[in-house]
Amino acid sequence: YQAKQAQTQVAVYDPAQDINSLERLETIQRLRKTIQEGRFLIQYQPILNIAERYINKWEALVRWEHPTRGLLRPAEFVPLAEESGLIGELDLAVLKQAVQDQKRLGGELTINFSAVTLAHPNWVREVVRALVDEALQPSLLWLEITESALLPERQKWLGGLVALRGLGVRVALDDFGMGYSSLAHLKQVPVDLIKIDKSFVAEIGLSQTSEDILRAMLQLASAFGLKTLAEGVENRTQLEWLARHGCHYAQGYYIGLPVAVEQAVEAAFTKAY
Ligand code: C2E
Ligand code: MG
Ligand code: MG
Ligand code: MG
């Protein structure tokens, strides 16, 4: 019996595991350095005001130019930043850079904040400092939080969010409809806009049931006095359907790709809708 147990313990040791955790540590170190040196990149994606047919907002989307793996999307490093406690610094650094870039972009700016960032002790003060330093009108700033962020430990950050909103900062609920939807959330958290997840938009023109759900979401939002934005708009059919059903804003590859600040400024004024 003892021999068997010893054998089991040997079998549990997996050298690949050590290599993985070493790689992980190295990636965390690199990410930390990239954040500290301000070397992450931000792409801006235009948001169309549907009824008025103009671009009036930009979403900041972070990217990481990794030395060996190329340009990384957030899905490849945001989870690691969340687990390693770097996300608060990253989100706040993106905010500061974007607030500076707003001078060239014009219009409103919308920034993604992880649930973990909301638990960061200084986050409200840092947001206010960024606004003051760059003299940005608070009503030009939107913070995007996901529905999953609304669930745990709301009491820790709700006061801060309410205070920022009192200054004029606005709040968007990102990826609406993905899993955690509850009418109760919309009543408990100050939200100005819901961003309907692209999985619903993708079904426009393809599924009657999905269109019914989408229509219900738009009606629900207006019953709550909220603005609506559709994510992942990829074609004219989708945009026209959304316009017909009173959706306020559209974002997606059909409107414009996420691009660096220089191209964002050019692109915004050369396309007609
Ligand atoms: P999100 O906030 O829902 O952002 C929209 C995502 O959809 C972006 O992916 C965007 O590039 C992509 N997208 C835009 N238009 C279309 C379209 O027409 N079709 C399709 N299929 N996709 C489209 P991206 O840039 O890879 O970002 C993924 C997620 O990473 C974001 O989802 C957001 O939750 C998160 N993220 C981005 N930047 C930050 C950041 O600075 N901080 C934090 N905490 N999260 C971030
Ligand atoms: Mg977002
Ligand atoms: Mg989104
Ligand atoms: Mg989404």
Side-chain angles (χ1 to χ4, degrees):
Y1 171 73
Q2 274 185 347
K4 198 176 171 203
Q5 195 177 41
Q7 204 180 16
T8 308
Q9 277 170 359
V10 170
V12 161
Y13 175 73
D14 176 4
Q17 211 49 41
D18 276 355
I19 293 167
N20 285 343
S21 38
L22 258 178
E23 266 178 19
R24 194 183 141 90
L25 264 181
E26 197 190 17
T27 307
I28 292 171
Q29 294 302 354
R30 276 194 166 141
L31 185 57
R32 175 176 289 123
K33 220 162 160 261
T34 305
I35 297 168
Q36 281 167 353
E37 294 170 2
R39 285 187 290 101
F40 55 83
L41 306 172
I42 305 177
Q43 291 186 338
Y44 295 93
Q45 186 173 32
I47 295 172
L48 178 75
N49 180 320
I50 297 177
E52 299 183 16
R53 293 172 177 270
Y54 72 95
I55 302 293
N56 75 327
K57 299 188 210 307
W58 302 93
E59 179 171 9
L61 296 162
V62 71
R63 273 93 181 85
W64 180 19
E65 181 76 68
H66 188 278
T68 55
R69 291 158 65 199
L71 192 67
L72 302 186
R73 285 279 197 111
E76 295 169 277
F77 61 92
V78 162
L80 188 66
E82 288 179 335
E83 290 159 24
S84 60
L86 291 172
I87 192 69
E89 267 180 84
L90 178 64
D91 283 350
L92 289 164
V94 167
L95 170 85
K96 282 177 202 164
Q97 181 60 53
V99 166
Q100 287 178 18
D101 289 341
Q102 187 277 342
K103 297 203 165 42
R104 300 168 67 190
L105 293 165
E108 299 169 11
L109 205 57
T110 181
I111 311 284
N112 294 282
F113 262 30
S114 157
V116 184
T117 302
L118 299 176
H120 192 283
N122 289 330
W123 76 276
V124 174
R125 202 164 61 201
E126 292 296 321
V127 172
V128 173
R129 180 172 301 164
L131 291 171
V132 170
D133 285 353
E134 299 299 324
L136 185 76
Q137 207 183 302
S139 61
L140 295 179
L141 179 68
W142 291 79
L143 297 180
E144 298 191 8
I145 56 179
T146 58
E147 286 182 274
S148 54
L150 304 182
L151 294 179
E153 307 194 82
R154 187 166 44 216
Q155 74 285 355
K156 281 195 181 167
W157 51 261
L158 194 56
L161 200 64
V162 169
L164 281 178
R165 201 151 165 271
L167 293 176
V169 172
R170 287 179 285 179
V171 180
L173 199 52
D174 209 349
D175 304 334
F176 187 80
M178 295 306 290
Y180 293 91
S181 296
S182 152
L183 299 184
H185 293 149
L186 293 179
K187 287 189 76 175
Q188 287 162 8
V189 175
V191 169
D192 302 279
L193 175 147
I194 60 172
K195 297 191 77 168
I196 297 170
D197 195 74
K198 50 179 167 278
S199 57
F200 297 94
V201 176
E203 298 286 313
I204 293 174
L206 304 177
S207 152
Q208 185 61 51
T209 313
S210 299
E211 285 184 6
D212 290 345
I213 295 173
L214 203 44
R215 203 177 296 118
M217 282 180 168
L218 295 171
Q219 281 165 2
L220 175 74
S222 58
F224 276 87
L226 302 173
K227 298 280 186 211
T228 48
L229 182 154
E231 289 187 328
V233 176
E234 294 185 352
N235 58 55
R236 175 145 212 103
T237 309
Q238 293 166 346
L239 183 58
E240 283 172 355
W241 190 97
L242 292 161
R244 273 202 308 281
H245 291 86
C247 184
H248 300 102
Y249 302 100
Q251 177 177 4
Y253 299 155
Y254 182 68
I255 313 299
L257 301 174
V259 288
V261 61
E262 297 80 15
Q263 291 119 271
V265 176
E266 289 168 32
F269 301 106
T270 52
K271 190 166 174 181
Y273 295 92

